[in-house]
């Protein structure tokens, strides 16, 4: 943590996050997003029958939800704003990298600490994003919706020419990166949403979202003992199910990677550093669940996954921003990260991460996570 070990404190100020996360009883996530889509054929999508909103997205949808707009796929036009600290945003960083869309869609990475006004570009020169020229993601939401009533969330895609937010519908963003941006995928990019598996994959994705991705938050933001214990039981029941599933399959849907693995990884990589202690998800550490731990290390050591992780930013976000849970805003020094590089033995289950495809190349120097990551420890 070094020079950044003392957090910026908002406690007691008008921008404090106190009361923003733990509101009493069971935590309920607001899943109402800006549901515009960036698509290969806007006219066809606008002409298709209306679609129902989905908390998990769907790579098969042909149309739009009511009131949503279709924007054209256009390389160089859009900027993905995705904080490395946030698991929902992290998945878009991984998918963009796996598919090789770095040259088609630029990346802005806000810092890990924000107040109730949300994400700031404090990692950029003079505290501004070098492409958008702004200090806060909020500015792009307000440029399109001056009275935007909901949280300023990441990931968000911004239309660079107008400076307006296009969408923050994170579950659909990654599916559309796979399906709508195909002409701009790198050679050898994996098919993360194979047609033959989608029907079986979506129920797995839904269970991962409701019970694991959101399950840790349901436990961490519970406002009563009863709500916490119910959330805790649900979470570990799901983790036990995954432990069993991964005992015989290298990846969630078989021998190769799919989007389902991306969505699970971003929770697993945060489990021991954050969720086990900060969110009181402490029946077991990830390192004590042998198949899940082996699976998580297998993914971490796969190009496109671990090389996008910044453990410093992850810890600073949760322990500093969530004043309701950690009013001191002290960030823990551990855990040790070297074990992420130990042998996982998952090759014994067969399969390969990319199937007929290939791994992405090294992370570009300007996109390398600046904080703690054992993959880069010898280079710092």
């Amino acid at each position: 943590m070094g020079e950044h070990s003392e957090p910026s404190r908002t406690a007691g100020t008008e921008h404090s996050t106190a009361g923003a996360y733990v509101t009493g009883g069971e935590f309920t996530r607001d899943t109402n997003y800006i549901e515009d889509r960036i698509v290969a054929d806007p006219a066809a999508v606008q002409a298709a029958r209306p679609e129902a909103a989905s908390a998990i997205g769907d790579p098969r949808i042909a149309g739009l939800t009511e009131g949503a707009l279709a924007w054209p796929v256009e390389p160089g036009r859009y900027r993905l704003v995705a904080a490395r600290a946030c698991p929902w945003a992290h998945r878009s960083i991984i998918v963009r990298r796996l598919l090789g869309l770095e040259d088609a869609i630029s990346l802005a990475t806000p810092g890990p600490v924000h107040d109730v006004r949300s994400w700031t570009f404090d990692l950029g020169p003079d505290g501004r994003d070098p492409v958008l020229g702004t200090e806060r993601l909020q500015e792009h939401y307000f440029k399109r919706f001056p009275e935007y009533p909901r949280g300023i969330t990441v990931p968000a895609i911004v239309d660079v020419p107008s400076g307006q937010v296009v969408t923050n519908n994170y579950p659909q963003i990654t599916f559309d990166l796979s399906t709508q941006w195909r002409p701009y995928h790198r050679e050898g990019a994996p098919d993360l949403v194979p047609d033959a598996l989608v029907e079986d994959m979506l129920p797995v994705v839904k269970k991962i979202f409701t019970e694991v991705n959101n399950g840790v938050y349901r436990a961490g933001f519970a406002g009563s003992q009863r709500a916490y214990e119910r959330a805790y039981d649900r979470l570990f029941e799901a983790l036990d199910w995954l432990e069993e599933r991964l005992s015989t399959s290298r990846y969630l849907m078989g021998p190769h990677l799919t989007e389902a693995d991306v969505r699970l990884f971003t929770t697993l990589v945060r489990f021991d550093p954050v969720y086990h202690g900060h969110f009181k998800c402490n029946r077991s550490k990830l390192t004590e669940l042998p198949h899940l731990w082996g699976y998580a290390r297998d993914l971490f050591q796969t190009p496109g996954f671990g090389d996008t992780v910044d453990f410093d930013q992850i810890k600073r976000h949760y322990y500093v921003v969530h004043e309701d849970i950690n009013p001191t805003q002290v960030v823990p020094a551990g855990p040790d990260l070297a074990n992420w590089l130990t042998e996982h033995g998952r090759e014994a289950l067969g399969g390969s991460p990319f199937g007929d495809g290939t791994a992405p190349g090294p992370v570009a120097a300007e996109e390398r996570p600046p904080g703690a990551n054992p993959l880069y420890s010898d280079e710092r």
Side-chain angles (χ1 to χ4, degrees), residues 8-40:
S8 300
R9 299 188 182 277
T10 59
T13 74
E14 63 179 317
H15 303 306
S16 169
T17 65
Y21 296 100
V22 180
T23 56
E26 181 174 329
F27 167 71
T28 302
R29 181 172 297 281
D30 182 355
T31 56
N32 291 291
Y33 299 104
I34 302 166
E35 297 194 353
D36 289 16
R37 298 177 62 201
I38 300 172
V39 295

Side-chain angles (χ1 to χ4, degrees), residues 37-39 54-61 91-92 95-96 99 101 169-182 185 191-194 197-198 201-206 258-263:
R37 298 177 62 201
I38 300 172
V39 295
S54 170
I56 62 167
D58 191 327
R60 304 166 299 183
I61 62 171
R91 63 171 65 167
S92 65
V95 170
R96 171 180 172 271
L99 299 179
L101 289 170
N169 188 14
Y170 68 89
Q172 191 61 37
I173 284 173
T174 49
F175 280 146
D176 284 347
L177 292 179
S178 280
T179 60
Q180 303 299 315
W181 290 79
R182 284 188 191 276
H185 291 182
D191 185 356
L192 299 175
V193 287
L197 294 179
V198 168
M201 182 178 72
L202 289 179
V204 175
V205 164
K206 183 176 182 180
T258 65
E259 168 112 5
D261 298 295
V262 176
R263 296 191 180 201

